[in-house]
Amino acid sequence: MLFVGIEEVDDKETGEKAIPKRPIEGIKESKVEGIENELKSLLSNIHPKINYHIITDKIDDEYYIVVAVESGSNGPFQTSERAEKDKDIKLKAGRYIRIGRDSRLPNPTEEFELLKKFANFSFSSNLNDTATIDDLSYEYMKEYLLQTGAKKDIREMSKLDMAKSMGLVSESEYGGYRAKNFAVLMFAETPNKFIPNAHVEIIREIDGTDKMESKRFDGPVWIQAKQVSKYFEDNIMASYTIREADKIEHKIIYNYPLTAFEELATNAILHKEYDTPEYVGIYIYKDRISFVNHNRPLPPVTIEALNRDRSFDRRQYLNKELKDMFFSLNLIESYGSGIRRAKDALLENGSPELKFYPDNEEDNYTNAVMGVNEEFLKEFNGSTTKETTKETTKEKNSIQEQIVLLMKDNPSITAEQIANEIKEITADGVRYHIRNLKAHGVIKREGSTKSGKWIVLK
């Protein structure tokens, strides 16, 4: 939906963007019809023809126009050569894509994904080149049905009937039943035999050396997700307990929170482009863990959006069948919310913000970097080896508590002023904490960005 006559503004204090400015600027009634005709003329430069509605409405005693475009599957849509030649339009002919709040021409990788999308190409849904029903494990299939609460009569079907009912196979024109790629990933003993590099490798620094060691997980992808998390819990995750002098309760600080690791590792497995012959790599250093996929997220999700936003309601999935099966196995809690849970877990643990790379539009990979809790790093001198739990006493308030106290003392304080007071955090970091404090109902903002004030609710 495109709104004409309504200005958007950004809130520099909270970092919120594209907030409708009220009262709206609006459109003079005498100009409404002319603008509608101009919009129709502009939209005629898009082909294949799109379905749209132009609606005129009124708010704040001012007129505005809404262009509502229906989704369609007959694309990809592109601008005409006539639009390029018209000096008033000033568009380069091509297939424009919408990234965040910007429309631009796609790079080669994005255009390739766009063409695949409209061609209904799905590697996970296609038949595997060589795998047959014999290459699927009957035991894994039954275990999956058991864990997802399938009825007993379904769990006791023959292997062929079970595979048919789950949509895992199709009859080959040469006889026999061929397995689909997602079936191979979920139920083959070793998917790597049929889909190159369909595995995860954890590569970690060896303490006290300049060498790395590798651990490989190459069973069914849902088993990989569980085994990778178990390896982290048993070998990497460590903690210490904070007991404050004047409080009975205590707080446990982890080098990395388990929830964040599980979400990021599962995300990497779920969103891997399996027709690309590169494995999922998880690299563990003394001060960070890096999750690397050799493909970018599908639009409208971008690297920029992953750094900026908390949830992705309109997320596209490369592997729709894996997404549904991971959901049934409770490996993902709800669609598009894994990044939010990872960010919340890191915030709760006092860890650095989650960062995504690359910071350019050319490199075709996604790298999620989770930093170690800085206080933990000081306590254990950067060790990546599993440590016994350690107890310590701490009297200093958390960053969020310090922010709230500063707001109580000075309700007009800015993010920059807070950063100057706390020292150990940037203004952007302060804004990140402010967004979370607002989301959890701890504070609210009254008035405008410049003359408003903070209200502490809790």
Side-chain angles (χ1 to χ4, degrees), residues 397 401-414 417-418 421 453-456:
N397 290 325
E401 288 170 334
Q402 292 179 69
I403 291 172
V404 171
L405 288 172
L406 288 167
M407 287 178 172
K408 282 182 178 179
D409 291 339
N410 178 11
S412 301
I413 197 167
T414 66
Q417 290 170 336
I418 291 172
E421 290 286 338
K453 63 179 181 179
W454 296 107
I455 304 296
V456 177

Side-chain angles (χ1 to χ4, degrees), residues 255-257 260-261 263-265 267-268 281-293 303 306-307 339 342-343 346-347 351-359 365-373 432:
N255 54 350
Y256 306 99
F261 182 91
E263 294 294 345
L264 295 172
N267 248 13
I282 302 176
Y283 300 85
I284 300 175
Y285 305 96
K286 67 179 181 180
D287 61 347
R288 68 193 186 280
I289 299 179
S290 183
F291 303 79
V292 179
N293 255 4
I303 300 295
L306 289 170
N307 280 314
I339 299 301
K343 288 184 175 183
L346 290 166
L347 180 64
S351 301
E353 291 179 52
L354 185 61
K355 296 290 185 184
F356 287 88
Y357 300 93
D359 54 6
Y365 69 91
T366 303
N367 181 11
V369 179
M370 177 172 66
V372 70
N373 178 281
Y432 171 75

Side-chain angles (χ1 to χ4, degrees), residues 237-259:
M237 190 174 73
S239 67
Y240 71 92
T241 303
I242 296 174
R243 297 189 185 276
E244 298 190 17
D246 58 344
K247 294 182 180 180
I248 297 175
E249 64 269 21
H250 63 276
K251 183 177 182 180
I252 299 175
I253 298 293
Y254 296 93
N255 54 350
Y256 306 99
L258 177 61
T259 297

Side-chain angles (χ1 to χ4, degrees), residues 193-293:
K193 286 177 60 178
F194 310 99
I195 300 173
N197 288 311
H199 68 276
V200 178
E201 284 195 26
I202 292 183
I203 302 100
R204 60 184 289 203
E205 284 184 331
I206 302 174
D207 282 343
T209 74
D210 58 356
K211 297 180 180 179
M212 308 284 282
E213 63 180 6
S214 176
K215 174 73 174 175
R216 178 166 165 158
F217 303 86
D218 58 4
V221 288
W222 58 289
I223 302 293
Q224 288 180 29
K226 293 183 176 185
Q227 289 178 339
V228 164
S229 293
K230 188 69 168 65
Y231 177 87
F232 168 79
E233 193 173 5
D234 291 345
N235 299 279
I236 307 300
M237 190 174 73
S239 67
Y240 71 92
T241 303
I242 296 174
R243 297 189 185 276
E244 298 190 17
D246 58 344
K247 294 182 180 180
I248 297 175
E249 64 269 21
H250 63 276
K251 183 177 182 180
I252 299 175
I253 298 293
Y254 296 93
N255 54 350
Y256 306 99
L258 177 61
T259 297
F261 182 91
E262 287 178 334
E263 294 294 345
L264 295 172
T266 302
N267 248 13
I269 294 168
L270 178 58
H271 295 293
K272 171 177 160 53
E273 194 166 351
Y274 282 94
D275 51 339
T276 300
E278 302 283 353
Y279 60 79
V280 172
I282 302 176
Y283 300 85
I284 300 175
Y285 305 96
K286 67 179 181 180
D287 61 347
R288 68 193 186 280
I289 299 179
S290 183
F291 303 79
V292 179
N293 255 4

Side-chain angles (χ1 to χ4, degrees), residues 58 61 78 84 89 95 101 157-158 171 179 190 203-204 215 219 247 263 287 291 303 366 391 393 398 406 415 429:
K58 197 173 185 182
D61 291 324
Q78 64 186 73
E84 183 181 17
I89 298 176
R95 302 182 178 100
R101 293 180 297 144
M157 284 180 172
S158 69
E171 193 166 5
T190 310
I203 302 100
R204 60 184 289 203
K215 174 73 174 175
K247 294 182 180 180
E263 294 294 345
D287 61 347
F291 303 79
I303 300 295
T366 303
E391 290 198 9
T393 300
S398 71
L406 288 167

